[in-house]
Every structure is written in C-alpha cells, then in structure tokens.
C-alpha cells in the first residue's frame, strides 16, 4: 500500500512524477501466445484477468488499437443493474452484480462501486403491470426488486414532477436497490493492472488488420506491430465487431453498430442519489460524485462507426429531461460524447466459441455491456479455457438467431427502432 500513501502522492507531485510506477507494463509483442484477445475494453481486459486468475492461463496478450479506455468502457454512463425479465439474462447479470459487489476488493483497486439504486418510472397502468411482472420474475430468481408508489418516489427525488398535470404523469416505479454506478475508467485500469501483474501482456496502439489462417482454423493475428501467432484468438471488439469479423471473412452477423450519445451537466449540489429512467422515452439520469448530472437517451437512428452523434437526439434527450425535472430547464450541459454500440437483434449478448475453429466471440452488448463486464470476462474466460460455455452463457450462442431460440429482451437491449 506504501506506493499509494499520501506522502508518496506528495513526493511524486513535487518530483514531476519521476518515481511513479506505471500500473501496467508496455511490453513488446511476443511472436506467439496461448491466447490473443482483440480489444482492450472492459470485456477484453476482464477476460484476460479471469483467464489468469481462474484458469492459470497467463501467456496471454490483449491487443488494443488505441489506448486503454478509448472505447465504450470509457464512454458509458456507468449504470450497473441486474433488473432483467428473462432467466438467462437475470442469472447472468445477477452473477455480474455479485462480482461487482466484491470487485474493488478482488482487484485491490477502488472502482467506486456505489449501490445507489436504479428506478424505472411507469407512466401508464399497463407499464406498471409490466414492471410488477418483471419485479416478480426478478424476486423469484433471488434478485432484489421493489415497486414504488408516487409518494415514495417524491420522497426519494423531491425535484421530480409527480403532478397529474405533468407531460407524462408518473404512476409508480420499479426500484432495484442494489443497482448503482461505478467509475468506468477505474474498471479498465483495475482489470488491466490485475491482468498485467499475473503476466498478461497489454499491447496498446496495436491494431489487428488481418487474421493468420491454416485452412479454416485461425492461428493468429496480423497487427500494426507485426504478426502474432496464437493457439486461440478471442474477439471482444464491441462496436467494431463487424469490422474485425470481416477481416476473418465473416460478413454477416446479427449485430448492427449504432451511435449512442451521453451528456454531462455543470456541477450541482447533490439532489439525486439514485439513477432514474423515464418510461415514456429513452432517457435516464444520475448525479456523479462531482455533482454533474450524467444522462443519456436513445441511439442515433442510423448505422455508423463514428464516435460522435447528431443534434436530433440531443434535442430529444434535453426535452425528456425537462419533462421529468422542469426545474433543470436552465442547467447548462457541459459536454457530450458518443460511442459505437454493438446492437444484437434480440437485445441479449453472444459469448461463444467460434464461428471459426480457434476463434471465440464476445459481442452484442447493446446499451448495457458495462454492467456485464465482470460476468462477461468470467464466462468468456471459461469458454476459452475449457472450450465449452459456462452454464451462465450457455444460452448466448450465435446460432440461436437461425435456430429461432432468441432471448428477446425488448426494452432492455435492442431498441424498437431496430425491429
Ligand atoms: C454513451 C454510452 C453510454 C452507455 N451507458 C451504459 C451504462 O450506463 N451501463 C451499461 O451497462 N452499459 C452502458 N453502455 C454500453 C457499454 O459501454 C458497452 O456495452 C461496453 O463497454 C462494451 O464492452 P467493452 O468495454 O469491451 O467495449 P470497448 O471499450 O469499446 O472495447 C472494445 C475495444 O476494441 C478495440 N478495437 C476495435 N477494433 C480493433 C482492432 N481492429 N484491433 C485492436 N483493437 C480493436 C477498440 O479500440 C476498443 O477499445 C454505454 C455505451 C455508450 C456508448
């Protein structure tokens, strides 16, 4: 712990950070590894960490085209929850929640996990019934869920407009008290440091531009830092999945890439100590520890690989915020940004061996892959190490789309615009 003491912080500040120990090494690529993981986002790094920690596989490289955190892991709005309806998703995301609850301890790195709750607002009787059904299903599977009345919502968030004359009157809500937020880049850094200390090579500024093949079998990758051979190659490239898979000759996947924007306001005194989602549109908001409001909405409605969005969604998101919290009309937005989301056609992820021999695929995270990071890494590592799925990702196959066994979690993942 000495390296993080107040004294060492002061010494480093005064010495121009000369003694600062990097959190992970900057190794040169080796000629070959047991496993190469494409994508140094949360999922790739967590996979490397659990490969080393749970399976003793440490001859691993994570290959990242930019710097760690440059993708969606550093661009999301950090909501963590397990409030799904369908059992495969509920079980998987609840396992993730349990890993989150011990993550700072496990990584010995403060990921600032804050269980401040996530509240879904209902605006029609049918929606309230729907939430009651989802809450029952969650509780049935051992996940916390509470229906909230209008009066309880007002007590929790005095600034919200619960009047009958509101643009979309609120009838109640579904709360998951154990849900919350985490510091997103700390998650990337914590997993990176944990993997590095177990011997994993993290290769930044190393873009995969092709695959090495022996017939159908994938035997390595071609990168901007040279060729790297590997017994197993795992793809965890999130919004770039389509592009990366095209390099292996896989042209058609049940994934669309869409831009998702997010926004942060100027700092306000603390007034919102939960994350709240609007039920009549795609709007949600929380307040960071620094006081800024962090909020977002729906996807931009066209396919894109550009990490920036367009004005119509900005207007839509602001209108939804003011519909819920009229007193925020004069708050200034400070920054906006965007990431590219890998939208699966049923709103559920894909974690599987294949589709080529020697290859493993992790994608389809839609709006919600940040909260999945621990369980995704845990299950993907199991799938890679043992060449069979963990029971928690057994349903998340690629072929479910042509077999017709989709896990259709509408409203949680894929947007209605895509249907
Ligand atoms: C605005 C926004 C808000 C969001 N809010 C939430 C939220 O509140 N809660 C939640 O659970 N989820 C949220 N998400 C979704 C979540 O961020 C993603 O699903 C998740 O981060 C994706 O996994 P990842 O971290 O591994 O992705 P990324 O961090 O995107 O990792 C993929 C990496 O692959 C790299 N890569 C791509 N191509 C190559 C190549 N050829 N060679 C080498 N490397 C390559 C990329 O540079 C990138 O770093 C949000 C997303 C966005 C954009």
């Amino acid at each position: 712990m000495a390296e993080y003491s107040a004294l060492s912080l002061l010494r480093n500040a005064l010495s121009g950070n000369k003694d600062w120990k990097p959190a992970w090494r900057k190794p040169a690529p080796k000629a070959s590894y047991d496993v190469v993981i494409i994508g140094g986002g949360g999922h790739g790094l967590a996979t490397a960490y659990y490969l080393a920690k749970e399976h003793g596989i440490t001859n691993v490289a994570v290959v990242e085209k930019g710097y760690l955190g440059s993708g969606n892991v550093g661009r999301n709005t950090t909501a963590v929850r397990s409030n799904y309806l369908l059992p495969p998703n509920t079980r998987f995301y609840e396992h993730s929640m349990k890993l989150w609850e011990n993550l700072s301890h496990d990584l010995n790195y403060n990921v600032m996990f804050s269980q401040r709750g996530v509240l879904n607002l209902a605006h029609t009787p049918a929606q309230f019934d729907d939430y009651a059904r989802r809450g029952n299903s969650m509780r049935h599977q051992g996940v916390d869920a509470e229906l909230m009345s209008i009066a309880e919502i007002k007590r929790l968030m005095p600034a919200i407009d619960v009047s009958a004359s509101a643009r979309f009157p609120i009838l109640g809500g579904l709360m998951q008290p154990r849900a919350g937020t985490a510091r997103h880049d700390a998650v990337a850094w914590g997993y990176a440091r944990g993997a590095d200390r177990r011997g994993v090579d993290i290769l930044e500024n190393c873009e995969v531009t092709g695959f090495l093949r022996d017939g159908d079998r994938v035997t390595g990758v071609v990168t901007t830092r040279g060729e790297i051979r590997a017994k197993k190659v795992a793809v965890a490239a999130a919004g770039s999945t389509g592009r990366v898979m095209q390099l292996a000759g896989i042209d058609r996947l049940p994934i669309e890439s869409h831009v998702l924007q997010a926004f942060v306001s100027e700092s306000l005194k603390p007034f919102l100590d939960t994350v709240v989602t609007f039920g009549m549109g795609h709007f949600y908001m929380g307040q960071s520890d620094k006081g800024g409001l962090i909020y977002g909405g729906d996807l931009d409605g066209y396919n894109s690989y550009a990490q920036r969005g367009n004005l119509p969604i900005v207007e839509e998101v602001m209108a939804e915020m003011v519909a819920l919290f009229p007193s925020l009309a004069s708050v200034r937005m400070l920054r906006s940004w965007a990431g590219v989301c890998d939208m699966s056609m049923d709103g559920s992820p894909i974690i599987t061996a294949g589709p080529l021999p020697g290859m493993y695929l992790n994608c389809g995270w839609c709006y919600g892959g940040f909260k999945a990071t621990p369980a995704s890494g845990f299950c993907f590592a199991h799938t890679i190490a043992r060449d069979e799925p963990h029971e928690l990702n057994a349903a998340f196959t690629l072929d479910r789309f042509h077999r017709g066994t989709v896990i259709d979690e509408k409203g949680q993942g894929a947007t209605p615009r895509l249907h």
Side-chain angles (χ1 to χ4, degrees):
M1 285 311 285
E3 63 194 288
Y4 301 113
S5 71
L7 196 64
S8 89
L9 276 178
L10 186 66
R11 203 171 41 239
N12 276 299
L14 295 175
S15 71
N17 295 336
K18 279 201 203 77
D19 301 326
W20 202 266
K21 196 171 154 218
W24 57 89
R25 297 163 298 128
K26 305 269 182 203
K30 292 197 278 193
S32 73
Y33 291 91
D34 289 338
V35 181
V36 163
I37 299 168
I38 304 173
H43 293 231
L45 293 166
T47 303
Y49 175 76
Y50 292 115
L51 270 174
K53 179 175 178 240
E54 301 292 331
H55 304 280
I57 301 176
T58 56
N59 185 23
V60 175
V62 178
V63 177
E64 165 54 46
K65 75 174 174 190
Y67 60 89
L68 290 196
S70 51
N72 286 353
V73 70
R75 292 169 182 270
N76 63 73
T77 41
T78 78
V80 172
R81 56 187 171 81
S82 56
N83 57 357
Y84 282 74
L85 174 70
L86 301 178
N89 281 327
T90 317
R91 283 197 293 265
F92 174 81
Y93 284 102
E94 180 56 16
H95 182 67
S96 214
M97 182 67 81
K98 295 205 167 97
L99 292 173
W100 277 111
E101 286 172 329
N102 194 39
L103 195 58
S104 294
H105 179 73
D106 185 24
L107 297 175
N108 188 22
Y109 201 99
N110 187 1
V111 300
M112 295 170 71
F113 183 47
S114 160
Q115 289 178 291
R116 59 186 66 185
V118 169
L119 171 66
N120 301 140
L121 296 173
H123 304 265
T124 65
Q127 193 171 36
F128 201 47
D129 286 352
D130 191 46
Y131 285 173
R133 178 172 172 241
R134 175 141 62 96
N136 284 337
S137 165
M138 288 165 63
R139 290 173 77 121
H140 193 58
Q141 294 175 77
V143 181
D144 56 318
E146 288 170 21
L147 280 180
M148 288 184 76
S149 67
I150 302 174
E152 287 168 327
I153 291 171
K154 185 70 182 169
R155 253 198 315 279
L156 182 68
M157 288 181 291
I160 201 162
D161 183 2
V162 294
S163 67
S165 60
R167 175 76 181 84
F168 299 101
I170 294 166
L171 298 190
L174 179 65
M175 170 65 109
Q176 185 184 14
R178 282 165 60 245
T181 59
R183 167 89 194 265
H184 49 14
D185 33 24
V187 174
W189 301 333
Y191 273 123
R193 192 183 70 160
D196 174 90
R197 288 191 176 176
R198 285 175 164 78
V200 171
D201 282 358
I202 296 171
L203 308 173
E204 292 173 85
N205 300 310
C206 185
E207 178 172 357
V208 170
T209 54
F211 286 84
L212 299 172
R213 300 280 286 268
D214 180 3
D216 261 0
R217 176 164 285 277
V218 172
T219 55
V221 288
V222 182
T223 80
T224 47
R225 295 174 68 181
E227 289 185 2
I228 306 174
R229 301 213 152 264
K231 291 183 190 145
K232 299 182 175 187
V233 175
V235 179
S240 301
T241 301
R243 282 181 157 174
V244 170
M245 294 301 284
Q246 229 167 15
L247 299 173
I250 310 284
D251 280 330
R252 287 179 65 77
L253 282 174
I255 299 287
E256 285 190 17
S257 287
H258 279 258
V259 172
L260 182 63
Q261 304 192 55
F263 310 87
V264 66
S265 78
E266 60 187 325
S267 285
L268 304 172
K269 285 191 177 168
F271 77 98
L272 184 63
D273 60 1
T274 190
V275 176
V276 60
T277 78
F278 183 42
M280 293 309 283
H282 212 111
F283 171 80
Y284 61 98
M285 183 165 77
Q287 187 169 22
S288 79
D289 295 342
K290 281 196 298 187
L293 297 171
I294 305 203
Y295 50 106
D298 205 351
L299 302 169
D300 283 39
Y302 48 87
N303 299 132
S304 173
Y305 289 107
Q307 286 178 319
R308 59 165 195 267
N310 263 344
L311 271 176
I313 290 288
V314 180
E315 287 185 335
E316 192 176 302
V317 170
M318 302 306 147
E320 288 171 328
M321 175 166 88
V322 175
L324 275 186
F325 294 93
S327 57
L328 298 182
S330 57
V331 168
R332 278 167 294 199
M333 179 178 89
L334 280 195
R335 287 183 287 121
S336 71
W337 65 91
V340 184
C341 287
D342 39 330
M343 306 299 295
S344 72
M345 293 300 103
D346 61 356
S348 300
I350 295 161
I351 306 179
T352 186
L356 296 172
M359 182 185 247
Y360 302 79
L361 179 62
N362 173 315
C363 63
W365 295 104
C366 302
Y367 307 95
F370 177 64
K371 63 181 156 11
T373 305
S376 166
F378 184 88
C379 291
F380 200 32
H382 180 106
T383 306
I384 296 164
R386 304 206 180 171
D387 273 310
E388 62 181 18
H390 189 278
E391 61 178 335
L392 289 170
N393 66 300
F396 299 150
T397 59
L398 179 58
D399 70 358
R400 71 178 186 266
F401 295 95
H402 76 77
R403 283 193 296 117
T405 53
V406 292
I407 309 160
D408 202 348
E409 193 87 46
K410 278 203 192 68
Q412 288 298 314
T415 169
R417 281 185 188 167
L418 294 177
H419 289 275

